Amino acid sequence: LGREFVAEVEAVFQTLRREPERVRLHYPARKVRRVLASRFPFHVYYYIEGQTVRIFAVVHAARHEREWKQRL
């Protein structure tokens, strides 16, 4: 199951490399976007900086927003 989780998160990362702007802004004040992994209830939080996608958190969907906001 752990390997499947890693594979799922890596698939999300690959999608973000190809189409980082396809996901709407979740927290516009900081230009943060959020995408939900399809098989596991985890959000991937990121922002776009020039041509670079900066992923700063992978957090369980049930966690409070302060879990990722403190990482900004």
Side-chain angles (χ1 to χ4, degrees), residues 18-37:
R18 287 191 312 272
E19 302 176 89
E21 294 184 358
R22 80 177 193 137
V23 178
R24 71 175 182 83
L25 290 172
H26 175 70
Y27 186 50
R30 299 295 293 268
K31 299 185 179 176
V32 171
R33 297 170 189 266
R34 176 183 78 181
V35 63
L36 180 64

Side-chain angles (χ1 to χ4, degrees), residues 5 8-9 12-13 16 23-24 26 32-46 55-65 67-68 71:
F5 173 74
E8 176 66 28
V9 171
V12 170
F13 292 172
L16 295 179
V23 178
R24 71 175 182 83
H26 175 70
V32 171
R33 297 170 189 266
R34 176 183 78 181
V35 63
L36 180 64
S38 60
R39 181 166 177 217
F40 296 91
F42 279 80
H43 289 129
V44 176
Y45 291 91
Y46 69 100
I55 298 167
F56 64 90
V58 177
V59 181
H60 193 279
R63 301 296 287 184
H64 194 276
E65 286 200 346
E67 293 295 322
W68 64 266
R71 298 177 190 193

